[in-house]
Amino acid sequence: MSRIAYVNGLYVPHREACVHIEDRGYQFADGVYEVFSLHRGQMIGETGHMERLAHSLSELQIDWPVSRRALSILTREVARRNRVRDGLIYLQITRGVARRDHPFPENAESALVITARRLPALDKQALRSGVGVITLPDIRWKRHDIKSVSLLPNILGKQQAREAGAYEAWLVDDDAMVTEGTSSNAWIVTKDGELVTHNTSQAILNGITRLSVLEAAAEAGVKFSERPFSVEEALSAKEAFITSSTSHVKAVTSIDGKTVGNGHVGELTARMLDLYVEFIEGKGGPSKTDTWN
Ligand code: PMP
């Protein structure tokens, strides 16, 4: 079956899908995106993704290319046409096509691309295998609450991680605090069993998975704290993990080559993965969707 992409009003074969060379996304990274995860045919955290998209668009003064309702229908249609039940939907909106010039163009229409990709179904066993992360200085701009397509520091960080044999890079601010991963949120479990992840601010992207895990923790009576933690604290933590729409809840068993806890997937991490899966299969996603910075 050949893949289908949605590009500015048309469904086209994926391999022929293209945008104009003067699309401002291509020339200036002047655009935003969302990645929705599909689990057993269900879109996870759709409301949250749409709210976060609304925030990103509004912060950059980019118009909705179609109504929010139409966008929701289009994303489902792209998933349907690609027969994706487990996988990802990628949605990108840029400021559109205009003669190359830095100020916002007067009459450009925002451009919309949607693709979908199958992935193996969520596999708890695989997620429990544990990965390594490295730490790197956070050299990004200062608005991580906006899901901008300008991802150069993120891809450089991820590449450095992969070259070091690690799965992810945790980004560290000038105060030696871990902000988040290059494409995930960062978590630790303290010695007294408290979950810790960076508070929402312009320093992190408020992950939809992060919100689901927090809500699942609250419902299950698991203690948590939303605050920055240092690399030092992470190194002496009992457990660590990352969250994202693609990695779900993934155990971290080493940081900069040093073992976290006993080097095995933590008990609370494994529990949070179970609670997360239960939560998304029940509620479909977080209900608190108004905190984007
Ligand atoms: N932080 C960054 C920088 C990311 O790119 C992502 C993945 N989109 C996340 C956090 C996690 O967000 P989500 O749970 O919504 O996938």
Side-chain angles (χ1 to χ4, degrees):
M1 189 203 80
S2 58
R3 289 177 70 196
I4 301 291
Y6 175 91
V7 185
N8 293 321
L10 298 173
Y11 292 99
V12 289
H14 191 273
R15 76 185 102 77
E16 288 163 28
C18 48
V19 292
H20 196 279
I21 55 165
E22 285 199 315
D23 185 290
R24 288 176 65 96
Y26 178 61
Q27 294 196 318
F28 295 119
D30 188 2
V32 300
Y33 73 107
E34 279 297 329
V35 179
F36 299 70
S37 144
L38 275 162
H39 175 63
R40 298 184 174 167
Q42 192 193 10
M43 211 133 88
I44 304 308
E46 185 186 357
T47 313
H49 283 287
M50 286 296 184
E51 293 283 326
R52 189 170 67 184
L53 178 65
H55 170 72
S56 299
L57 289 171
S58 133
E59 289 301 293
L60 299 183
Q61 296 170 53
I62 296 176
D63 294 332
W64 286 80
V66 294
S67 72
R68 182 165 156 167
R69 194 171 142 60
L71 195 54
S72 169
I73 293 167
L74 289 172
T75 50
R76 277 162 216 283
E77 183 57 16
V78 173
R80 194 191 65 79
R81 290 193 186 217
N82 288 282
R83 300 202 193 127
V84 180
R85 277 184 54 76
D86 289 279
L88 297 175
I89 299 173
Y90 177 83
L91 179 167
Q92 176 174 308
I93 298 172
T94 69
R95 204 179 301 277
V97 176
R99 195 189 64 191
R100 189 183 180 285
D101 198 5
H102 287 61
F104 297 170
E106 295 268 309
N107 301 316
E109 280 175 26
S110 54
L112 172 61
V113 169
I114 308 171
T115 56
R117 182 155 65 100
R118 280 190 205 166
L119 283 179
L122 189 154
D123 177 352
K124 285 198 198 172
Q125 212 47 46
L127 289 167
R128 285 206 192 99
S129 61
V131 294
V133 300
I134 58 167
T135 61
L136 293 175
D138 196 343
I139 58 165
R140 301 173 300 163
W141 71 325
K142 294 187 175 154
R143 291 301 307 273
H144 312 312
D145 56 305
I146 299 171
K147 201 159 168 57
S148 152
V149 293
S150 169
L151 290 172
L152 196 50
N154 305 59
I155 62 167
L156 293 177
K158 186 77 91 184
Q159 180 62 19
Q160 229 176 303
R162 293 298 154 88
E163 285 172 11
Y167 182 79
E168 175 63 300
W170 278 5
L171 305 172
V172 181
D173 69 15
D174 293 344
D175 300 320
M177 296 293 175
V178 175
T179 51
E180 59 181 339
T182 65
S183 64
S184 58
N185 290 113
W187 301 68
I188 55 168
V189 178
T190 63
K191 290 255 156 50
D192 47 358
E194 186 178 56
L195 290 175
V196 183
T197 192
H198 199 293
N199 52 293
T200 47
S201 73
Q202 295 182 351
I204 67 158
L205 182 81
N206 191 359
I208 305 304
T209 321
R210 175 188 180 281
L211 284 170
S212 292
V213 169
L214 285 173
E215 204 169 317
E219 284 178 2
V222 175
K223 282 187 294 177
F224 63 85
S225 171
E226 293 177 75
R227 62 164 174 85
F229 59 84
S230 66
V231 176
E232 207 188 333
E233 189 179 2
L235 285 170
S236 62
K238 208 156 111 186
E239 306 177 22
F241 62 93
I242 57 170
T243 56
S244 78
S245 297
T246 32
S247 292
H248 311 289
V249 176
K250 202 169 180 58
V252 169
T253 46
S254 80
I255 300 171
D256 289 331
K258 295 171 197 112
T259 302
V260 177
N262 61 10
H264 296 291
V265 174
E267 220 174 279
L268 188 54
T269 303
R271 180 157 177 236
M272 290 323 296
L273 172 60
D274 287 341
L275 288 173
Y276 170 72
V277 173
E278 220 174 273
F279 181 83
I280 57 167
E281 288 180 350
K283 288 204 172 161
S287 49
K288 187 170 160 248
T289 54
D290 55 354
T291 50
W292 304 112
N293 54 26

